[in-house]
Amino acid sequence: MTSEEDAILRLHQAHTGMLDIKTDFDIEDRADLQKAYTPGVAVLSRMIAEKPELKDKFTVSGKLVALITDGTAVLGLGNVGPAAGLPVIEGKALLYKDLANINAIPLAVDQVSPKEIIKTIKNISLSFAGIHLEDIAAPRCFEIENALSEELDIPVYHDDQEGSAIVVLAGLINAAKVVGKKLTDLRVVINGVGASGLATARLLYAAGIKHLTLVDVHGVITSEDYRANDYQRLFAAKLGTPQRMENQNIHDAIKGQDAFIGLSTGNVINRHDVKQMNEQPIIFALANPHQEIAPEKAKEAGAAVIATGSSQYPNQVNNILAFPGLFKGLLASGLKKVDMDLQKAVAQALASVVAEPTAENIVPSVFDERVVPTVAKAVVDYASQSK
């Protein structure tokens, strides 16, 4: 164990995690006790029994987000199980509170069928103002989010899908400006078409980028590729990906592309691949802990703009830029759905934080204090325009 790992363990063990429950009211005498607890709360219970929607006004349910994982797809680790997924969502709960003053509680669920997870979340949903899904593998995550979004009257958000897609689009908006190309003219190849990759492809398509090629572990995905899941095949059909491309690997598919979006694993492309792209190539090598290509190698091969998921390099594409401000806006506005138009609006607002993008500055820093209020305002503005 390294000294850094030891320090991390000591920190988390000292506090038994990173979260505590804090009170908003001090009980100092019997009168306080009667107001905060029995018999005073009977007043609230009677009111809420008659009008259940009042719970959001008079109880913590109106400001509490559920952070839920089954640990089937933890970034960089894979399927580590529900208990091992808890540190990730606990960390995100900390970020919610620290960056946006949002109360979020981490919850781990067993790796049961999607239908059981859907039922479990529905059964506890009255306690929450929103649902944040995290680290749930594809394709089960698609079924779970779709069902919950349709059946619950609170916002449902999957950070690996919507969060990743929003920040990638924001970065690509500014990267296109840097290389002097029109966003909607870009030819984009996406390597890694799990939850993040497919959601990103959908959002880029909705933003007007129609020249998209999807590549997964078996190669280019087409509508008739039996190795792909239904969600991947349906989107490939929408793109009109020719069947003849099915056996092409990433080294074939990257030729003549303007942008490479990597949401996969380390070291899958090389210098030669970058040189096969169009002039002024854009490389988003977002895999962690090892990028699809080392930024130094991509730059040597002629990449004009390079982004990673790491804080070690410029242009860190990180979901922290999306979810705290997004939920702050959702709770403030009462908006119930995180639809495609909202995602586009948030991505555009996030991109606008960087007034004059450069090759090494296409997305704001995760510590930029303008990010959360800008994203939250975009959500509130979208909600008001949608009414």
Side-chain angles (χ1 to χ4, degrees):
M1 182 179 296
T2 67
S3 58
E4 183 178 1
E5 290 171 336
D6 183 61
I8 291 169
L9 291 179
R10 283 190 283 106
L11 173 66
H12 287 256
Q13 185 178 25
H15 300 282
T16 316
M18 291 284 98
L19 301 173
D20 277 313
I21 293 176
K22 302 294 185 183
T23 64
D24 285 338
F25 181 72
D26 294 327
I27 297 176
E28 298 179 351
D29 52 35
R30 287 182 178 274
D32 289 340
L33 181 62
Q34 290 170 0
K35 291 174 185 176
Y37 184 47
T38 188
V41 289
V43 176
L44 302 177
S45 294
R46 285 194 294 267
M47 289 174 54
I48 295 170
E50 293 181 11
K51 294 184 178 180
E53 65 274 12
L54 290 178
K55 72 178 182 62
D56 292 338
K57 184 176 182 179
F58 292 103
T59 76
V60 72
S61 68
K63 62 180 182 181
L64 187 61
V65 175
L67 259 165
I68 301 175
T69 188
D70 67 358
T72 50
V74 176
L75 183 64
L77 300 176
N79 186 348
V80 295
L86 275 171
V88 178
I89 54 175
E90 184 178 83
K92 291 208 168 182
L94 176 67
L95 292 171
Y96 264 123
K97 190 65 178 179
D98 189 57
L99 298 177
N101 197 29
I102 298 294
N103 300 284
I105 185 167
L107 300 170
V109 296
D110 277 340
Q111 293 180 1
V112 293
S113 70
K115 285 183 172 55
E116 287 185 80
I117 289 181
I118 292 164
K119 184 177 180 181
T120 296
I121 295 174
K122 286 177 63 178
N123 286 344
I124 64 172
S125 63
L126 287 179
S127 298
F128 303 103
I131 304 294
H132 174 137
L133 303 173
E134 185 74 30
D135 294 339
I136 301 175
R140 59 196 277 115
C141 64
F142 303 133
E143 180 181 348
I144 292 167
E145 185 183 21
N146 290 347
L148 291 174
S149 295
E150 291 176 4
E151 298 174 32
L152 297 183
D153 193 35
I154 56 177
V156 178
Y157 165 86
H158 184 195
D159 196 40
D160 304 288
Q161 290 191 66
E162 288 82 32
S164 298
I166 286 168
V167 183
V168 168
L169 176 56
L172 204 55
I173 288 170
N174 283 338
K177 293 177 181 177
V178 172
V179 300
K181 296 180 181 180
K182 186 178 179 181
L183 180 72
T184 52
D185 287 342
L186 293 179
R187 303 185 69 86
V188 179
V189 60
I190 297 177
N191 192 72
V193 194
S196 299
L198 189 56
T200 296
R202 287 171 170 166
L203 185 57
L204 297 186
Y205 187 88
I209 300 173
K210 307 302 183 185
H211 302 295
L212 288 166
T213 303
L214 309 183
V215 184
D216 217 345
V217 63
H218 298 296
V220 174
I221 296 173
T222 67
S223 61
E224 298 178 26
D225 187 349
Y226 70 92
R227 298 164 298 188
N229 61 55
D230 292 343
Y231 300 95
Q232 293 169 328
R233 288 197 300 270
L234 283 171
F235 195 71
K238 188 173 186 177
L239 294 174
T241 305
Q243 189 63 28
R244 58 180 168 76
M245 295 181 66
E246 182 177 315
N247 293 319
Q248 290 187 7
N249 58 32
I250 185 58
H251 306 294
D252 299 319
I254 202 170
K255 295 174 183 176
Q257 301 284 353
D258 295 296
F260 167 89
I261 309 295
L263 294 157
S264 52
T265 190
N267 304 311
V268 295
I269 63 172
N270 53 46
R271 293 183 182 89
H272 178 72
D273 295 321
V274 176
K275 291 177 180 179
Q276 298 302 304
M277 298 175 69
N278 289 338
E279 292 183 4
Q280 297 280 83
I282 298 166
I283 301 292
F284 282 20
L286 306 181
N288 274 318
H290 304 294
Q291 298 83 21
E292 284 83 358
I293 180 172
E296 297 84 358
K297 293 180 179 179
K299 188 172 183 179
E300 289 170 6
V305 178
I306 304 165
T308 73
S310 171
S311 59
Q312 293 178 303
Y313 301 97
N315 299 326
Q316 183 185 14
V317 172
N318 192 301
N319 294 4
I320 297 174
L321 295 171
F323 68 83
L326 178 70
F327 256 100
K328 189 174 184 69
L330 289 171
L331 298 186
S333 67
L335 197 62
K336 305 297 185 184
K337 303 293 179 185
V338 184
D339 61 26
M340 203 66 76
D341 287 335
L342 173 60
Q343 293 173 51
K344 287 192 292 183
V346 171
Q348 290 163 352
L350 187 55
S352 73
V353 175
V354 182
E356 298 181 3
T358 65
E360 295 195 344
N361 187 25
I362 58 170
V363 289
S365 163
V366 296
F367 298 107
D368 191 322
E369 295 181 354
R370 298 171 298 171
V371 170
V372 168
T374 298
V375 170
K377 183 178 185 301
V379 177
V380 172
D381 289 347
Y382 176 82
S384 66
Q385 294 163 8
S386 301
K387 291 178 181 179

